[in-house]
Amino acid sequence: MARTPFHPLDHAWPDQPADTGLLAGARVVDCQTGATDGQTLYIGDEIPVKRGAEGWHWLVVHIMEEPIEGQVELWVDPDRRHGLSAGHTACHLTALALNEALAPLWRKEARADSLGHPDFDQLAIASSRILNHGSRDVYRLGKSLRRKGFDPAGLDLPALTEQVGERLKEWIAADAPVWVDCPDDDLTARRTWRCLLPGAEASIPCGGTHLTSTGELNAVAVEFALEGDELAMTTRVARA
């Protein structure tokens, strides 16, 4: 079909799980990114080319319990979408707060985020997973990051938890607008998450779904744990 309200799993960076719901009354159990060269349809990890490759058409593939034909109505599960959107918005805000809190631990100049702080989140990220009303991000603290100028010896997890938590409270209380910029409706279009925080507009490249304001988050709890040479960050969004 030409258009769909379903958000698929991104095969290149599968952080946000797919929407589920109904299509003509039948269950959509999964939703993935697909690409075709006009002869063969490839799905997810099978896709052999980079996003936007010339001569390829990109589309959303709905995985059904049973085949459906003809004109149909689509219904996305609103509770699942809201939970994932809340988790994704909280994930970005927490990443920005983390970058700010860790700024004193950089010994060299590093690429900055949209708020002007060294972008630890993007420079150290190993994996990211959006959860229902939450997220889990894992960061590498090994030799590569140290060569870039980050000093993990200075990590103080209780202080980090408190500082990030206080910043999140401020941003949530501000009820700052959140939106996603997209140049067109093509599946491969480069999308950007934006948030009009007090004093600055934050932006992060992102193809996921989000809430419309920070105030919708109600409250966000964050936990940190050192796992070998990795730092794990878990966020949980309080449900209203």
Side-chain angles (χ1 to χ4, degrees), residues 143-216:
K143 293 180 180 179
S144 176
L145 190 66
R146 291 197 293 270
R147 284 196 296 268
K148 293 175 182 176
F150 184 78
D151 179 15
L155 280 171
D156 180 339
L157 297 193
L160 181 63
T161 302
E162 181 178 2
Q163 187 173 346
V164 169
E166 287 302 313
R167 180 61 76 199
L168 289 172
K169 287 180 183 178
E170 293 177 12
W171 288 343
I172 292 170
D175 195 22
V178 173
W179 69 99
V180 175
D181 274 345
C182 184
D184 56 57
D185 292 334
D186 194 90
L187 189 60
T188 61
R190 183 176 177 83
R191 293 165 170 80
T192 303
W193 173 88
R194 299 189 185 279
C195 182
L196 192 58
L197 294 170
E201 180 180 304
S203 62
I204 296 175
C206 179
T209 63
H210 290 277
L211 303 180
T212 60
S213 74
T214 61
E216 292 182 62

Side-chain angles (χ1 to χ4, degrees), residues 66-77:
E66 57 188 81
I68 300 293
E69 296 182 1
Q71 187 172 346
V72 295
E73 291 186 356
L74 299 95
W75 177 85
V76 172
D77 184 332

